[in-house]
Amino acid sequence: MSNLLSCRDLSKAFGAQTLFSSVDVVLAKGDRVGLIGPNGSGKSTLLKILAGLIEADNGEIFRQRHVRVSYLAQSDVFDEEKSCADNLYAAVAALHIEEVEQYNRVHSLLSRAEFPDPDSPVGLLSGGWRKRLAICRALVVHPDVLVMDEPTNHLDIEGILWLEKLLKASLPESPDAYLMVSHDRRFLENTVSRIVELSAAYPEGTLQVNGNYSAFLEKRELFLEQQQEQEERLANKVRRENEWLSRGPKARATKAKSRKDAAYRLQDELSVVKQRNRVGTAVDISFDGTDRKTRQLLVAAGISKGFEGRSLFSDLDLTLSPGTRLGLLGRNGCGKSTLMQILAAAGSDDESSGLQPDSGTVTTADNLRIISFDQRREQLDQEQTLRRALAPDGDSVVYQDRSIHVASWAQRFLFRTDQLETPVSRLSGGEQARILIASLMRQPADILLLDEPTNDLDIPSLNVLEQSLNEFAGALVLVTHDRFMLDRICDQVLGFDGQGNASLFADYGQWLATLDGGGKAEEEKKQRKKKNATKAAAQKTVKKLSYMDQREYDQMEKKILEAESRQEELETEIQTPETAADPAKLAECCEELELVQQEIVDLYSRWEKLEALRNGD
């Protein structure tokens, strides 16, 4: 099979910094390739070289004749005054195809992307819809090869699922092959058939594995283990040869001189392998908790918020305790960040500062420490130097009661000493994200509010961030579209439907099952299906329940109602002045409430299992 696009022995450097060297990549028909690597390894630069936008320093690019390559950049640049449709028409204008074909291409893609109004000016679109439009623009030319740089940036989970479906479909606009940079591990798992990691940790500059992301992780671990063993073997050989050299063999003997030269070559080889094994050091992330033992850190009761007559959420109850791991899910603009701002304001010393709910109350434990990560990065002064951003009060920082020099602190976040005087504005998105994480680490917290902390972080940094969040003793509220992280971190999610409702779910998969036109159509579909199947299910499977299971099932609804009634009683009692004034009674009520809440969860879980048995699932 002939290759559509390939490169051989590519190298690229900026000034004294070499991004990559001796890189080979091949794209044939049917290839679905994910390109990964640490920040600064040159992934975006390699894509631009392959797309013909910039030149490599060395190496060759081979492109099959008449192959059309389309490039999707990280940033989306449009004619802001023109409509979505007109921006796509501009993309196909140079193809010299008939007007009817242009119309069909443009409007079929806009329909497939679910644009509510193709004639709306691009300037009015949110970040997620701009990204969808950029993807449509890359596909409307019907490319043979599609090159994408972080295509999931700015997409919410529904948008990511839409893109996954689009890439898997066989459509007129589908490319014969695609290559993309992505740090979304679940997205990679679902959409690629080969992974290429670009890193100086590998002898050839890349590690290329056929298969999905899980297969790549297995092969990568095996390769790095073997390379570490190679270093140990070489170190033992060099040690023996150094002992021989120290005895001072006479170099005039041909045999002795040959062995001496071989010993020096061994030393050089060991140095190279050592250097490769030291590449890819992960960011040293560790959040500092206060070790507070308070059971309830924050309680939100019946809070509501809306803007310009539109309700984001209403009558929302939320309790954050040590160990809480809550994910917030929903379409862009549904109210996730608004809720985060309300929770952050609750921890402020100035009760009038920050965003307040329209109704309801938010109460907190005494002297509660809430630390927030803002996805907009407004906390960063772009004019500051990296030195001052990392250490605002001098040339050192205090972390876990220890003073650490700013140079050492910078190294923990993979910054070089020669970068300390660089303005923040000149740092990459990933580097700016690491500055914010460094700032969070210096502040002991009871509650961490993280709004899209994964943006621009490479995969090694994501892995370390996840490990640190799992070890954090306080409460965590997390907004992220990274499904892999949600699965590893959060034990419950709060899903927003975009219609003013927010409900708790066990995981993001359960929430996704309710999504279809805000969840209404899916719910109606489920109700119809349940009604149609009731008689058949009862006749067919009721005998699958044993006598004891059937008896338990018949009593389950009553038990749940009793437990929920007791929960309401306890929540009311906790709010009374008498209970609030009696610490012993308050602690007793809170402890019982926690037990009742767990009982309700267990009862619902058991009810679902019994229901599944009745239905023959």
Side-chain angles (χ1 to χ4, degrees):
M1 184 183 299
S2 58
N3 298 325
L4 297 173
L5 177 67
S6 63
C7 65
R8 184 172 63 195
D9 202 29
L10 281 192
S11 300
K12 185 66 178 180
F14 285 112
Q17 182 184 3
T18 298
L19 292 180
F20 52 81
S21 59
S22 305
V23 167
D24 300 339
V25 176
V26 173
L27 283 177
K29 189 172 183 178
D31 279 347
R32 305 286 184 261
V33 182
L35 179 63
I36 65 174
N39 289 334
S41 59
K43 302 182 297 297
S44 296
T45 300
L46 178 58
L47 290 192
K48 290 177 182 177
I49 292 173
L50 292 174
L53 300 177
I54 61 175
E55 297 285 333
D57 295 338
N58 295 293
E60 299 175 284
I61 303 288
F62 304 95
R63 183 181 298 180
Q64 197 180 100
R65 288 187 64 186
H66 308 303
V67 163
R68 178 176 289 117
V69 178
S70 188
Y71 174 72
L72 175 70
Q74 284 192 38
S75 56
D76 311 318
V77 179
F78 297 101
D79 187 326
E80 303 291 327
E81 302 299 323
K82 288 187 176 180
S83 69
C84 303
D86 286 342
N87 271 273
L88 294 195
Y89 276 120
V92 297
L95 298 182
H96 307 295
I97 57 178
E98 294 182 0
E99 289 186 8
V100 173
E101 174 66 11
Q102 290 186 23
Y103 179 90
N104 289 338
R105 288 193 186 190
V106 168
H107 288 278
S108 65
L109 264 173
L110 289 173
S111 174
R112 215 166 266 128
E114 303 169 7
F115 273 87
D117 182 9
D119 295 323
S120 174
V122 172
L124 299 179
L125 296 180
S126 66
W129 286 107
R130 289 176 69 91
K131 179 58 71 174
R132 288 200 191 206
L133 185 62
I135 293 167
C136 290
R137 183 172 60 183
L139 288 171
V140 75
V141 298
H142 290 195
D144 302 293
V145 176
L146 178 60
V147 177
M148 299 176 282
D149 196 355
E150 293 284 6
T152 61
N153 273 7
H154 306 296
L155 291 178
D156 56 21
I157 288 183
E158 286 181 272
I160 295 171
L161 292 173
W162 163 79
L163 179 56
E164 285 183 3
K165 183 178 179 181
L166 187 68
L167 292 176
K168 292 176 182 178
S170 179
L171 303 168
E173 61 269 19
S174 297
D176 291 331
Y178 58 73
L179 169 68
M180 63 181 174
V181 169
S182 180
H183 296 143
D184 188 324
R185 294 154 293 179
R186 185 59 54 82
F187 181 68
L188 289 169
E189 182 81 10
N190 294 340
T191 57
V192 305
S193 56
R194 175 156 50 105
I195 297 284
V196 177
E197 183 174 22
L198 184 64
S199 173
Y202 307 117
E204 305 300 326
T206 62
L207 178 64
Q208 306 194 25
V209 175
N210 290 325
N212 57 17
Y213 182 67
S214 297
F216 168 79
L217 289 180
E218 293 178 8
K219 295 290 181 64
R220 180 181 186 272
E221 184 177 0
L222 178 61
F223 177 88
L224 294 178
E225 285 177 359
Q226 292 173 342
Q227 188 162 264
Q228 188 62 47
E229 291 171 359
Q230 180 189 13
E231 178 183 338
E232 293 170 4
R233 289 195 302 271
L234 285 171
N236 290 332
K237 288 182 180 180
V238 167
R239 193 180 304 110
R240 290 195 298 270
E241 294 305 304
N242 283 342
E243 291 174 358
W244 177 79
L245 287 171
S246 67
R247 293 198 294 268
K250 294 182 178 179
R252 64 175 177 271
T254 303
K255 190 172 182 180
K257 186 177 185 307
S258 175
R259 183 172 177 180
K260 197 173 184 179
D261 292 342
Y264 292 138
R265 285 195 299 272
L266 270 177
Q267 291 174 354
D268 293 340
E269 185 179 355
L270 174 61
S271 177
V272 170
V273 174
K274 271 186 175 181
Q275 187 174 358
R276 287 203 301 266
N277 283 335
R278 303 303 179 269
V279 169
T281 303
V283 181
D284 188 1
I285 300 173
S286 179
F287 294 104
D288 193 5
T290 62
D291 296 326
R292 182 194 290 263
K293 304 302 180 185
T294 309
R295 285 185 176 275
Q296 293 186 329
L297 301 173
L298 180 148
V299 177
I303 62 172
S304 304
K305 190 66 182 179
F307 288 105
E308 299 178 353
R310 173 174 170 250
S311 174
L312 295 177
F313 50 85
S314 59
D315 296 322
L316 177 62
D317 296 329
L318 195 63
T319 300
L320 300 182
S321 303
T324 295
R325 298 290 183 266
L326 178 66
L328 304 188
L329 291 174
R331 296 181 175 97
N332 290 332
C334 69
K336 302 185 299 296
S337 295
T338 298
L339 177 58
M340 294 285 267
Q341 291 174 45
I342 290 173
L343 297 179
S348 172
D349 293 333
D350 182 1
E351 294 184 359
S352 64
S353 68
L355 197 62
Q356 303 297 322
D358 296 335
S359 61
T361 60
V362 181
T363 57
T364 64
D366 292 339
N367 302 316
L368 186 73
R369 297 187 182 186
I370 299 178
I371 304 300
S372 301
F373 181 101
D374 182 5
Q375 63 165 316
R376 294 168 295 179
R377 298 175 185 166
E378 293 179 348
Q379 298 142 305
L380 284 178
D381 182 347
Q382 297 292 321
E383 302 304 316
Q384 273 189 335
T385 63
L386 173 62
R387 177 191 297 274
R388 194 54 55 229
L390 289 174
D393 302 322
D395 283 336
S396 63
V397 301
V398 176
Y399 175 64
Q400 295 183 344
D401 299 324
R402 292 186 299 115
S403 179
I404 302 174
H405 191 271
V406 64
S408 299
W409 186 242
Q411 289 175 1
R412 292 185 66 149
F413 299 93
L414 305 187
F415 293 111
R416 304 185 310 275
T417 304
D418 60 7
Q419 290 181 283
L420 287 175
E421 303 307 323
T422 303
V424 169
S425 59
R426 290 175 52 190
L427 299 175
S428 69
E431 288 170 328
Q432 292 191 22
R434 298 204 299 266
I435 293 174
L436 285 176
I437 291 173
S439 176
L440 297 187
M441 283 175 53
R442 291 188 289 105
Q443 307 170 66
D446 299 304
I447 298 176
L448 281 177
L449 304 177
L450 304 184
D451 194 355
E452 293 290 358
T454 63
N455 286 352
D456 301 311
L457 290 182
D458 57 20
I459 289 177
S461 298
L462 290 175
N463 290 332
V464 177
L465 177 60
E466 287 168 0
Q467 180 181 351
S468 177
L469 293 177
N470 275 323
E471 294 171 353
F472 177 63
L476 168 69
V477 182
L478 175 67
V479 176
T480 181
H481 302 313
D482 188 323
R483 292 162 291 169
F484 196 90
M485 176 172 281
L486 282 170
D487 277 346
R488 293 190 64 184
I489 299 295
C490 298
D491 50 22
Q492 59 180 336
V493 298
L494 182 65
F496 296 74
D497 66 1
Q499 307 298 318
N501 302 306
S503 305
L504 285 172
F505 299 89
D507 54 36
Y508 84 87
Q510 190 182 70
W511 170 73
L512 283 176
T514 69
L515 289 181
D516 184 2
K520 182 178 178 181
E522 182 65 25
E523 187 60 32
E524 290 175 349
K525 180 180 176 182
K526 285 183 178 180
Q527 292 298 329
R528 288 195 303 270
K529 184 177 179 182
K530 186 175 181 180
K531 288 178 181 178
N532 293 336
T534 299
K535 291 183 180 180
Q539 294 171 356
K540 181 180 178 182
T541 65
V542 71
K543 292 182 181 179
K544 291 193 175 185
L545 288 180
S546 67
Y547 171 78
M548 294 302 295
D549 285 343
Q550 182 65 50
R551 185 177 178 185
E552 183 183 5
Y553 178 81
D554 293 338
Q555 298 175 350
M556 190 61 71
E557 188 170 0
K558 179 182 177 183
K559 289 182 178 180
I560 290 175
L561 289 173
E562 289 174 350
E564 289 181 336
S565 176
R566 181 56 181 160
Q567 179 185 14
E568 292 177 3
E569 291 174 2
L570 289 167
E571 288 174 343
T572 302
E573 187 172 353
I574 287 173
Q575 300 298 324
T576 62
E578 294 81 1
T579 302
D582 186 344
K585 187 176 181 182
L586 180 61
E588 182 181 345
C589 288
C590 290
E591 185 174 353
E592 184 181 353
L593 177 60
E594 187 175 337
L595 292 172
V596 170
Q597 288 172 334
Q598 184 59 50
E599 180 187 3
I600 292 171
V601 171
D602 294 341
L603 285 170
Y604 271 110
S605 177
R606 178 59 179 161
W607 198 12
E608 287 179 6
K609 290 179 181 177
L610 293 172
E611 188 75 33
L613 282 175
R614 282 173 53 86
N615 294 332
D617 295 342

